Amino acid sequence: MTVEQARERYLMNAIRPRRQDSGSHTAVTAVDRTIDAADGSSFRSRVYTPESDEGRVVTYLHGGGWVAGDIDSHDGACRVLAASLGAVVVSADYRRAPEFPYPTPLLDAAAAARWTSRSFPSRDHVIAGDSAGASLAIGVALDARDTGDIDFAAQLLLYPPVDPSLRFALTSQYAEGYLLSVDDMAWYYDLYVPDPRQRSEPALNLLNADLRNLPPTVVGTAEFDPLHDEGVELADKLGVSDVPVCHVLGAGLVHGYFLMQDIVPTAGTCAQRVLRELDMVLQSARGASRRASHPYAEVVRGE
């Protein structure tokens, strides 16, 4: 497929007909905003406000291999996120590859997080994303740690791609035939980071990055996903780096399940389990130190 065909298919799959009884969407309002980029350009965002407000805010970075996906494909997921957490959610429509390869999507993601921090300064701020957006989220968290310009209360990483070499994905027993394939990931990386020499940079090769002093983290992985093993490795490395981490294993699920929660019951159950864990992290961060008593906090196994 061409890039445009891939984008159209991704969007159509994401907004396919849904159940009308999927609950909390109606309790959330949304309005589109514009965010200034570091290079003087701008990009869209969508700000979701829940009916029940717990004083939190989430900067959300959508998946789609840095190539597909946008704020429309992830509209339903962000509404669920806002309603479940009682959080304002800022969904960033960062510019995508191949028109805007690395580092533009990452720079836009960081600009979105700074905009969120300025616009909602008194709230507990979560940096979050799924798939490619989760990779960007870690990059933003690393930048915020090093610059000190944003204090994140937590990060949510759903099935993150963190190994540009695809070493883990190539040896996975689920490398082909389970929605996302290794060939898909190779295509995405070629478009996002066309210069192979850049793929060793810490913002991309996240398994070899210095992960110390990142915010408490919830990592969600899917069992039948070529990215599963590198997600597990990331959770382990976060724990060894003394970052409080909860790893939620999505048993029986494929990559992208966060967008399937209103049509696949098990996906919905696992997504809510992930959000409950994030809620617990935010509650504990309010009244206690953000450092866990031991480096690897918890693994939650899907049912």
Side-chain angles (χ1 to χ4, degrees), residues 86-106:
V88 172
V89 174
V90 178
S91 179
D93 205 19
Y94 57 86
R95 289 171 290 175
R96 303 170 297 184
E99 298 91 340
F100 298 96
Y102 174 81
T104 296
L106 179 58

Side-chain angles (χ1 to χ4, degrees), residues 75-158:
D75 182 79
C78 286
R79 290 177 184 273
V80 170
L81 183 63
S84 299
L85 290 178
V88 172
V89 174
V90 178
S91 179
D93 205 19
Y94 57 86
R95 289 171 290 175
R96 303 170 297 184
E99 298 91 340
F100 298 96
Y102 174 81
T104 296
L106 179 58
L107 294 174
D108 285 356
R114 288 191 290 269
W115 184 91
T116 302
S117 184
R118 292 193 304 268
S119 301
F120 304 95
S122 62
R123 293 173 177 262
D124 291 335
H125 191 174
V126 178
I127 184 69
D130 67 293
S131 193
S135 171
L136 295 175
I138 310 172
V140 172
L142 290 170
D143 178 71
R145 178 200 64 190
D146 295 341
T147 61
D149 59 352
I150 306 174
D151 181 22
F152 289 118
Q155 59 178 344
L156 171 63
L157 310 174
L158 295 164

